[in-house]
Amino acid sequence: MAVSTTNHDYFMHKCIDLALLAKARGDSAVGSVLVLDGNIIGSGIEGGKTFGDITYHAEIEAIRDAKRLGTLDLSKSLLYTTHEPCIMCSYVIRHSKISVVVMGMSTGDIGGVNSAYPLLLDKTVTKWSLAPTIISGVLEKECRDLDK
């Protein structure tokens, strides 16, 4: 899949706006949007504290929001997120067949790319399609500033 970098900043700014909403209500400042053909088809904000449920991560919420399309095959979509998807979110991303993940910053030892368990890059699970293309560092400073 050819990936255009033209709109990465635009969509990451949308994620940052969502992250600020999460932060304002007391959740971790993480926002995510799912994009298909240049249109946002799903959006999510972190909500673990608000809902008392650890599965309310921004990436999972964006994927849940896109369910209105009537399919779990999101192979033609791009996921934008302020923070590297965690291991749990990475599993959901792989299951949903998302082909490109654009992230603002790494989360280190809990991330699906940079941890000891890089599920977003894994090639050993035969049920999964190809690993998504990973684009990192988009508006990294602005995303890091969310954690201040």
Side-chain angles (χ1 to χ4, degrees):
M1 165 186 241
V3 179
S4 168
T5 58
T6 308
N7 294 321
H8 288 334
D9 285 1
Y10 172 80
F11 290 116
M12 191 59 71
H13 276 294
K14 295 291 185 187
C15 293
I16 290 168
D17 290 343
L18 292 167
L20 291 170
L21 292 174
K23 186 175 185 174
R25 70 180 189 191
D27 286 297
S28 296
V30 183
S32 184
V33 296
L34 197 59
V35 175
L36 179 65
D37 297 327
N39 297 303
I40 295 174
I41 60 169
S43 62
I45 66 174
E46 205 79 0
K49 291 177 184 168
T50 295
F51 297 103
D53 183 340
I54 191 68
T55 67
Y56 276 85
H57 282 203
E59 299 88 350
I60 293 173
E61 289 305 292
I63 293 166
R64 284 179 178 149
D65 191 32
K67 275 185 171 180
R68 59 189 149 82
L69 297 176
T71 182
L72 287 178
D73 180 357
L74 299 171
S75 59
K76 295 182 180 170
S77 63
L78 290 80
L79 179 76
Y80 288 82
T81 185
T82 55
H83 293 64
E84 175 184 358
C86 73
I87 296 164
M88 175 180 66
C89 292
S90 296
Y91 178 87
V92 175
I93 290 165
R94 292 301 299 271
H95 188 75
S96 302
K97 302 176 184 169
I98 293 168
S99 58
V100 179
V101 175
V102 182
M103 58 188 195
M105 59 176 275
S106 170
T107 56
D109 64 351
I110 61 166
V113 176
N114 294 300
S115 74
Y117 307 100
L119 290 184
L120 283 177
L121 306 176
D122 188 90
K123 295 178 183 173
T124 63
V125 179
T126 58
K127 286 184 170 187
W128 288 345
S129 58
L130 295 174
T133 299
I134 306 296
I135 300 169
S136 61
V138 175
L139 299 181
E140 183 173 1
K141 180 191 178 307
E142 293 88 337
C143 291
R144 287 199 183 284
D145 287 347
L146 291 167
D147 291 340
K148 291 181 180 175

